[in-house]
Amino acid sequence: MTKKGTIPAPPGRVVDTDDFLATVKVLTEKQRAKRVAKAESEAAEQAERAAEQAERAATRTTTRRESAAQAPSPFGNQQVSALDQVYRVLKEYVDMKEHEYVAVALWCMHTHVYALFTHTPRLAFMSPEPGAGKSTAFDIINQFCASSEIIGNITGPALFRTINETTGTLLLDEGDNLKWDDRSLRAVINDGHQPGRPIKRTIANVAVSFDTFAPLGLAAIGKFPVPLMQRAIVINMAPPLPTVAVKLKKFSVLTSFDYTWATITTWAETP
């Protein structure tokens, strides 16, 4: 309903009437400067947190290497490559097809050098029902991937802030419980497979960019959206047959693969 004598605005167009202008808040230079200072302060705090996380990651790396150096090789006197070590461990704990063992092992090693590539494909574990070993696969590759973390549920903003503040691998378990109607979440998962696709948000009236380029793994019952599938290495899993299940080892949180992890990091740091 319009006032008498006022011509209705065409759809999608704003008419600068006195009523509209009265609702617009114009910032003074002092207010703008205050907001800019706040944004710069938050950026400095974020950089400080990132530096602290990098320092803690370096400490963890040193500790794991010391532990690996003291541990005996699980492969005896055999000279086993990093890729073959990951492949063998996966075969002991998870039921997959032969080429899928190789693909997952390669992806784990890729997370240590992904910044050298133009793309980092998503790793998608899918199964039609529970009990296929997706979470077990995550528990295992979590020990092989670079600065890896398993997350049970996350929102879009939390995801791109986490990626921006760290340079590690994120494994999103229970992917069927993610809010796929969250546009920010879909943007990070779909666009973050290649560099130069940041998320921008306005913080304290200042545009801030958040990096989204990072290795990302997902696991879910059912199928993922098509855009994700097109950017992913898809691993179709199913509950193993009883004759296969009895041969698989049971994973424990006390299980350590530091020796293999150290072999991977040494490979990644070799020119």
Side-chain angles (χ1 to χ4, degrees):
M1 185 176 181
T2 60
K3 294 181 180 180
K4 185 176 181 181
T6 301
I7 300 175
R13 182 182 175 188
V14 176
V15 176
D16 293 333
T17 62
D18 291 340
D19 291 339
F20 172 75
L21 292 175
T23 65
V24 177
K25 183 179 180 180
V26 180
L27 295 178
T28 64
E29 288 300 322
K30 183 177 181 180
Q31 290 173 323
R32 186 179 296 278
K34 185 176 179 181
R35 291 195 176 189
V36 170
K38 182 179 179 182
E40 291 176 345
S41 175
E42 290 180 350
E45 291 177 359
Q46 180 177 318
E48 185 177 349
R49 288 196 302 270
E52 291 176 353
Q53 290 175 345
E55 184 178 351
R56 288 196 296 269
T59 302
R60 287 195 300 270
T61 298
T62 302
T63 302
R64 289 189 72 179
R65 284 190 171 179
E66 292 174 350
S67 174
Q70 297 173 0
S73 169
F75 305 99
N77 296 325
Q78 294 180 340
Q79 295 295 323
V80 184
S81 68
L83 177 63
D84 198 25
Q85 288 184 36
V86 179
Y87 167 84
R88 292 188 186 188
V89 171
L90 287 169
K91 289 201 73 171
E92 290 179 344
Y93 289 89
V94 186
D95 180 36
M96 294 189 293
K97 297 180 178 67
E98 190 68 22
H99 68 277
E100 292 175 335
Y101 289 120
V102 177
V104 174
L106 284 170
W107 190 84
C108 290
M109 298 182 67
H110 161 81
T111 65
H112 291 262
V113 292
Y114 77 94
L116 302 176
F117 291 82
T118 58
H119 292 77
T120 177
R122 277 55 182 111
L123 181 64
F125 288 102
M126 303 189 310
S127 69
E129 56 185 306
K134 299 182 299 300
S135 295
T136 299
F138 264 11
D139 286 331
I140 293 172
I141 69 174
N142 184 48
Q143 297 201 38
F144 297 143
C145 296
S147 303
S148 185
E149 181 182 8
I150 298 177
I151 300 174
N153 191 277
I154 194 168
T155 63
L159 182 57
F160 65 69
R161 286 176 181 271
T162 300
I163 293 174
N164 189 69
E165 293 179 4
T166 63
T167 55
T169 307
L170 297 181
L171 303 175
L172 308 185
D173 202 2
E174 309 296 338
D176 41 306
N177 291 328
L178 292 174
K179 293 184 178 179
W180 290 101
D181 58 343
D182 182 343
R183 290 182 295 178
S184 295
L185 181 67
R186 295 200 309 271
V188 176
I189 292 175
N190 293 336
D191 289 339
H193 78 301
Q194 66 182 94
R197 301 290 183 88
I199 293 287
K200 282 188 175 290
R201 290 292 182 269
T202 301
I203 300 177
N205 212 40
V206 176
V208 179
S209 293
F210 294 89
D211 190 20
T212 61
F213 183 54
L216 193 66
L218 302 98
I221 297 173
K223 292 185 177 181
F224 288 108
V226 173
L228 169 58
M229 300 274 283
Q230 294 174 333
R231 295 164 170 81
I233 299 170
V234 179
I235 308 297
N236 289 300
M237 304 183 71
L241 297 172
T243 53
V244 175
V246 295
K247 297 178 182 179
L248 296 176
K249 290 184 177 180
K250 299 295 183 182
F251 179 82
S252 167
V253 292
L254 300 178
T255 305
S256 174
F257 301 115
D258 284 349
Y259 181 89
T260 297
W261 174 86
T263 306
I264 296 172
T265 55
T266 300
W267 164 82
E269 294 170 359
T270 302

